Amino acid sequence: MEQGLRERKKARTMHQVQTVALRLFAERGFDEVTIEQVAAEAEVSPSTVYRYFGTKEGLVIVDEFDDPALGGLETLLTSDESLVAIVRKAISAIDDEHFAQARELTMVRTKMIMETPTLRAAAGIRIAELTAQFADQLAVARGYTHTKALALVGALMGCVMAALYAWYSSSGSSSFSACLDEALDALSELDPS
């Protein structure tokens, strides 16, 4: 789906601010940089940084690809497609831009998350929040119990995280889609009958 002017402007601003933040974090260390310093260097207000990223950790964890992917998931959850197909479609909407065109930036962000305890913790919280959000939507959309929806979404989020780790471990030489396909295919091992 084509993005409107507002969404494109937001994505450009997020990309600019995040690029500046990652450079400052790499130069000075994550704990040594403030949101105000990032805002000044990116030539935006601190309130813009907070509006787009929420927290300092969000400067690494959140990106301009979240809205299209998450919005796609929300829309697709109400369809009759299989959950695995839904995840594949949502990721395919951002795959080339996120993991090929923005490969270096995504690699730097992933490395920071893997190597910085506060970022790992923040990423875990973000994943838990998204899992709960999508489980709630899935339970309503398909009439599942909350436990069933939470288990299904948790398994799918685990696959996305396994794919991210595999992609990162290959230094981005593997396609993210191939890593995701392998992770999703592994779900069949849970009940091979």
Side-chain angles (χ1 to χ4, degrees), residues 1 11 20 36 87 185:
M1 182 165 69
V20 167
E36 290 71 22
V87 170
D185 289 347

Side-chain angles (χ1 to χ4, degrees), residues 87 91 95 99 110 114 155-170 172 174-184:
V87 170
I91 295 299
D95 186 28
F99 295 99
T110 304
M114 301 269 187
L156 294 169
M157 290 294 258
C159 288
V160 171
M161 295 312 299
L164 180 62
Y165 184 78
W167 176 82
Y168 171 74
S169 296
S170 78
S174 298
S175 84
F176 185 78
S177 289
C179 294
L180 182 61
D181 286 343
E182 182 179 356
L184 290 169

Side-chain angles (χ1 to χ4, degrees), residues 77 83 133-144 149 152-153:
L77 282 175
L83 295 177
Q133 173 189 330
F134 288 128
D136 290 345
Q137 291 172 354
L138 182 62
V140 170
R142 300 216 175 164
Y144 294 160
L152 290 168
V153 174

Side-chain angles (χ1 to χ4, degrees), residues 112-123:
M112 280 187 177
I113 292 167
M114 301 269 187
E115 295 178 358
T116 309
T118 53
L119 290 172
R120 257 195 332 272

